């Protein structure tokens, strides 16, 4: 397809209603999750006496659980050809887990609640992304995944804003805020059930059904994208460390959620335009730029001893997220064989989850041993190592096909 015809098709095609509905579902669940997550590191450290290593382990383990589950969900969604049912079950587990945080009295309770929440996230994330790939024309996939990410991040800054307001209104009563967070979680399930429909698909071909060995049958380009995404994910530590850094930089406890408000605002404003832009110029060059931005974010945060410097680092972090997250999903959607898209998203999430666990434990160990500067300095150094990987992938992609 020529550049002109590709651009014209992108302008004519509208983002499908299903993508909008899935975006609103993500928005509601993210409001609930961020009301909890933005206060959880503070609560773990000051309320339950957890260390930074424990925070890093809990965050990393949570992501690893979610991503392992995503592999299972992806394979099953390809086999059953019913993505919505898995998504509903996943969002249901996420909503149920929110009931556990208000009654948690120990770190073990928090780990249990996070584990259930992450299993739910794993079950819903892969079929949701595969469903977006199913219903979206190829020429606007960047826009579709970018839109879903942007709506998700609206919840990402609405949730922390609600947490700030409630911290003031309720005199820092974290438990009551955790109870209030239950409401949008259950609303997301209603929107999903009522507003999203499965697209019609041709009958599944005969032969063996559920086969985990299909994982190794993913094509070379899919594995290349997964490898590049794993390198990028390893060097980006959990946002929990941003929340811990906010206290060092001068934020009072009630204002800590503002960290996520700023980050998600920049993330949300960037993700959709980035997706649209990538439909025109390609994806992987923008990913390489995102790694350079991540390096700058780490460098600024390492020296952030004031609120102003810290906010600059958070803005750069949000910009990195907006430049990278939607594009990674889009690349998987483009690279994977049609009948194995769910499996491809599952493997993608499994690999990135494994490296997240390792990266977060390292970040927490550095924080407890040498302080926050060591954590962010290490992140900056690792980002420089990841940048050549993304540049190499970009060049390989350019030799194979446009965009």
């Amino acid at each position: 397809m020529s550049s002109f015809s590709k651009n014209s098709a992108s302008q004519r095609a509208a983002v499908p209603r299903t993508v909008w509905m899935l975006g609103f579902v993500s928005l509601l669940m993210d409001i609930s999750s961020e009301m909890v997550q933005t206060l959880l590191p503070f609560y773990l450290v000051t309320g339950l006496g957890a260390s930074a290593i424990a925070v890093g382990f809990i965050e990393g383990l949570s992501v690893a659980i979610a991503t392992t589950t995503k592999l299972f969900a992806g394979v099953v969604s390809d086999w059953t050809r019913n993505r919505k049912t898995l998504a509903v079950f996943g969002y249901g587990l996420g909503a149920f887990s929110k009931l556990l945080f208000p009654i948690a009295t120990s770190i073990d309770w928090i780990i249990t609640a996070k584990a259930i929440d992450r299993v739910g996230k794993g079950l819903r994330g892969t079929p949701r992304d595969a469903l977006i790939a199913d219903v979206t024309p190829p020429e606007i996939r960047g826009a579709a995944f970018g839109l879903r990410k942007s709506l998700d991040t609206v919840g990402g800054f609405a949730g922390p804003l609600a947490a700030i307001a409630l911290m003031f209104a309720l005199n820092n009563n974290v438990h009551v805020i955790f109870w209030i967070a239950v409401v949008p979680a259950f609303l997301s399930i209603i929107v999903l059930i009522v507003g999203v429909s499965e697209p019609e698909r041709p009958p599944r071909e005969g032969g063996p059904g559920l086969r985990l060995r299909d994982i190794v049958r993913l094509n070379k380009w899919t594995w290349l994208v997964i490898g590049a995404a794993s390198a990028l994910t390893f060097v980006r530590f959990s946002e929990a460390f941003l929340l811990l850094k906010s206290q060092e930089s001068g934020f009072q406890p009630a204002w800590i959620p503002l960290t996520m408000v700023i980050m998600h605002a920049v993330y949300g404003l960037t993700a959709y335009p980035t997706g649209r832009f990538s439909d025109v110029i390609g994806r992987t060059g923008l990913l390489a730029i995102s790694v350079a931005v991540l390096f700058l974010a780490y460098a600024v945060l390492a020296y952030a001893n004031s609120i102003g410097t810290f906010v600059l680092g958070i803005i750069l972090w949000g910009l990195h997220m907006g430049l990278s997250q939607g594009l990674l999903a889009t690349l998987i959607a483009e690279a994977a064989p049609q009948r194995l898209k769910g499996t491809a998203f599952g493997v993608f999430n499994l690999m990135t989850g494994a490296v997240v666990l390792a990266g977060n434990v390292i970040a927490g160990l550095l924080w407890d041993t040498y302080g926050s500067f060591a954590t962010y300095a290490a992140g900056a150094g690792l980002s420089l190592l990841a940048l050549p990987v993304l540049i190499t992938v970009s060049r390989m992609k350019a030799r194979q096909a446009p965009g």
Side-chain angles (χ1 to χ4, degrees), residues 144-363:
F145 280 101
L147 175 65
R148 208 283 302 170
K149 284 288 184 182
S150 287
L151 289 172
D152 182 70
T153 55
V154 170
F157 68 77
L161 279 177
I164 292 171
L166 289 169
M167 284 284 278
F168 280 107
L170 300 173
N171 195 27
N172 296 341
N173 192 327
V174 174
H175 292 93
V176 174
I177 297 172
F178 285 172
W179 280 117
I180 295 172
V182 171
V183 177
F186 280 92
L187 285 176
S188 72
I189 303 172
I190 296 173
V191 174
L192 176 59
I193 293 172
V194 174
V196 175
S197 300
E198 286 272 353
E200 292 186 7
R201 298 188 183 89
R204 180 162 54 88
E205 297 177 2
L210 183 62
R211 298 181 301 181
L212 288 177
R213 67 174 178 269
D214 280 340
I215 293 171
V216 299
R217 299 175 63 183
L218 296 173
N219 58 41
K220 175 182 175 182
W221 175 238
T222 304
W223 281 110
L224 187 63
V225 173
I226 290 171
S230 299
L232 177 56
T233 305
F234 177 74
V235 305
R236 188 183 62 246
F237 302 144
S238 168
E239 282 84 5
F241 294 102
L242 301 180
L243 296 166
L244 293 178
K245 182 67 177 181
S246 66
Q247 283 187 284
E248 283 190 8
S249 302
F251 276 95
Q252 295 300 312
W255 289 104
I256 288 175
L258 188 61
T259 301
M260 293 295 99
V261 174
I262 297 169
M263 192 276 285
H264 280 293
V266 177
Y267 181 0
L269 290 171
T270 307
Y272 179 62
T274 298
R276 295 285 295 185
F277 193 43
S278 75
D279 287 331
V280 178
I281 70 166
R283 329 284 185 200
T284 48
L286 289 170
L287 279 175
I289 294 172
S290 80
V291 179
V293 174
L294 179 62
F295 167 78
L296 292 176
Y298 274 131
V300 170
L301 289 167
Y303 291 97
N305 295 317
S306 67
I307 291 177
T309 307
F310 175 74
V311 168
L312 175 59
I314 293 300
I315 290 172
L316 289 168
W317 190 282
L319 181 59
H320 158 75
M321 296 291 286
L323 287 170
S324 62
Q325 297 309 287
L327 298 188
L328 291 173
T330 306
L331 283 171
I332 293 294
E334 290 178 334
Q338 180 62 40
R339 72 180 189 88
L340 295 176
K341 288 195 183 296
T343 301
F345 277 111
V347 176
F348 162 72
N349 286 294
L350 175 66
M351 297 294 289
T352 54
V355 299
V356 162
L357 176 57
N360 278 340
V361 170
I362 292 170

